Amino acid sequence: MFLSGRSQFIVERPRNPLPPLKLQELNGKDVTLVPKPGHVTLVNLWATWCAACKTDLPTLAALERMRLPALDVWTICTDRRDIKMIRRYAEAIAMPRLSFADPHAQATNPANAEASIFATPAMPITYLIGTGGLIEGYVTGAAEWLSEPGQDLLRYYLDRPPA
């Protein structure tokens, strides 16, 4: 079991596929993201007001620099739709390469939680999408992905065949 501080990895049941996400790159370009088949994708939801996010985002950037085969890291700012403000924040902190805004309110919809793809019971929250594109589970808080238990969890899902 992967524990991170007082948080742990929570397995999702039923497992649902991650639909395409229409997001915005930090340069302002709209993109539609889908998980790559055979890859594990970590989808991190963060906010500019979140103190734990200032620890979590550099950890995810370090994890990404490890270049684990078939692991992708996406980070999505949930509290601001203004790309210029998000970009200024990102310039001041180590961020994963694939960082986005959610101006179309697809990942999280503050006006309608039922329309959100992801629930946000806490910040930050990182969802793990398995090799078959299914949402496997999540961990809240600044997860210790570089720790031995964090690496074991990632290897477990990386080694599983697509469902």
Side-chain angles (χ1 to χ4, degrees), residues 151-162:
Q151 293 290 297
D152 288 346
L153 177 73
L154 291 172
R155 271 193 295 280
Y156 172 79
Y157 282 101
L158 286 165
D159 291 343
R160 289 182 66 187

Side-chain angles (χ1 to χ4, degrees), residues 94-112:
M95 297 280 290
R97 189 175 41 86
L98 297 175
S99 297
F100 306 94
D102 187 23
H104 310 290
Q106 282 194 321
T108 62
N109 188 324
N112 181 0

Side-chain angles (χ1 to χ4, degrees), residues 90-140:
E91 289 168 355
I93 191 169
M95 297 280 290
R97 189 175 41 86
L98 297 175
S99 297
F100 306 94
D102 187 23
H104 310 290
Q106 282 194 321
T108 62
N109 188 324
N112 181 0
E114 295 297 318
S116 295
I117 292 173
F118 299 108
T120 53
M123 279 291 154
I125 185 167
T126 304
Y127 284 85
L128 187 147
I129 314 305
T131 56
L134 301 176
I135 301 171
E136 298 289 348
Y138 63 90
V139 62
T140 60

Side-chain angles (χ1 to χ4, degrees), residues 21-39:
L21 279 171
K22 186 175 181 184
L23 300 169
Q24 192 174 67
E25 292 177 337
L26 297 187
N27 65 10
K29 178 184 173 193
D30 279 352
V31 293
T32 300
L33 298 178
V34 293
K36 294 176 190 170
H39 282 225

Side-chain angles (χ1 to χ4, degrees), residues 42-66:
L42 294 179
V43 179
N44 175 267
L45 305 171
W46 62 277
T48 57
W49 51 260
C50 168
C53 296
K54 289 181 180 178
T55 301
D56 200 36
L57 291 166
T59 299
L60 288 165
L63 176 65
E64 184 180 64
R65 285 191 302 274
M66 290 176 66

